[in-house]
Amino acid sequence: MNQERLTTFEDAILAIIMTILVLDLKLPETPTLAGLWQLHASFFAYTLSFFWIGLMWISHHNNWRHVKTINGTTVMLTLVLLFFTSLFPYTTSFVSENFNNSVAQAFYGLIIIIISLCNVALSRNLDHINPAAHFGLLYRTADWVVYADLGLKIIGLILAITVYPPAMMIAIFLASTLLLVGINTHE
C-alpha cells in the first residue's frame, strides 16, 4: 500500500465519522429558543467532537506531506486509530445524553486519550521510517504541547471521575485549543 492510498482511506473514514456525528442531534421538543437551549449539552458535545476530529485531520493533512515511506506498522496503527475514532458518534451521543454522568464523561475522555496516544505512536513510527521528516511526539507540534495536551486530558479524566464530570469535556476543549495554537505556530 502506498501513502496516498492510506491517506485517502483515512480522509474518507474521518469524513464519514464527522457526518454521522450530526445524525445523533435531536430536534427540540418545541421549536423555540428554550427548546434549543435544552439541547445545549448535545450541541456542545457535537461541536467538540466535530472540531476535535477536524483538528486531527488538519494535523495529519499538514504533516503527511513530509512522509515518503510507510510500512505495515503504519497501516496497522492507522487502522487502530480509525477504529477508536469510529467510536466518536457513539461516545458523543452517550456523553450528550448523560452530560453530568462521570461514567459517560470518562468513557468519552478515555477514547480521546487512546486516540491521542495512537496519534503519538503513529508519529513516532513515521519519524522512525522517515527520519528526514523530523517528527516529534505528534508530527511537528512541539513536544511540550503534546505533554500539556495529554496532561490536561488526564487531569480532566481524574476530575470527571472524582468530583466534576463535565471537567473531562472542559479539559478536552482546553487541550484542543492548546493543540490548535501549537499546530499553527509550529507549521
Side-chain angles (χ1 to χ4, degrees), residues 129-179:
I129 59 177
N130 296 276
H134 302 291
F135 290 153
L137 288 175
L138 186 61
Y139 303 110
R140 293 177 171 230
T141 302
D143 285 353
W144 75 266
V145 173
V146 179
Y147 287 124
D149 168 74
L150 290 170
L152 280 169
K153 291 171 187 168
I154 291 168
I155 290 169
L157 181 63
I158 293 167
L159 291 174
I161 292 169
T162 58
V163 291
Y164 184 64
M168 187 72 250
M169 292 194 101
I170 293 167
I172 292 166
F173 175 77
L174 294 173
S176 298
T177 303
L178 176 67
L179 268 179

Side-chain angles (χ1 to χ4, degrees), residues 23-36:
L23 298 177
D24 280 331
L25 285 178
K26 307 273 187 276
L27 293 174
E29 290 180 23
T30 56
T32 62
L33 288 176
L36 279 172

Side-chain angles (χ1 to χ4, degrees), residues 33-45:
L33 288 176
L36 279 172
W37 179 250
Q38 289 177 340
L39 301 172
H40 69 279
S42 293
F43 281 107
F44 179 69

Side-chain angles (χ1 to χ4, degrees), residues 84 103 183:
F84 284 105
V103 172
I183 289 171

Side-chain angles (χ1 to χ4, degrees), residues 21 44-53 55-56 81 84-89 91-92 95 104-120 149-150 152-154 157 168-173 175-176 179:
L21 282 171
F44 179 69
Y46 165 75
T47 302
L48 185 61
S49 294
F50 183 92
F51 284 104
W52 197 88
I53 294 170
L55 184 60
M56 182 174 74
L81 171 79
F84 284 105
T85 307
S86 74
L87 291 171
F88 257 101
T91 59
T92 301
V95 79
Q105 288 280 351
F107 185 53
Y108 181 84
L110 193 58
I111 294 300
I112 285 190
I113 291 168
I114 290 168
I115 293 168
S116 297
L117 293 173
C118 286
N119 273 309
V120 167
D149 168 74
L150 290 170
L152 280 169
K153 291 171 187 168
I154 291 168
L157 181 63
M168 187 72 250
M169 292 194 101
I170 293 167
I172 292 166
F173 175 77
S176 298
L179 268 179

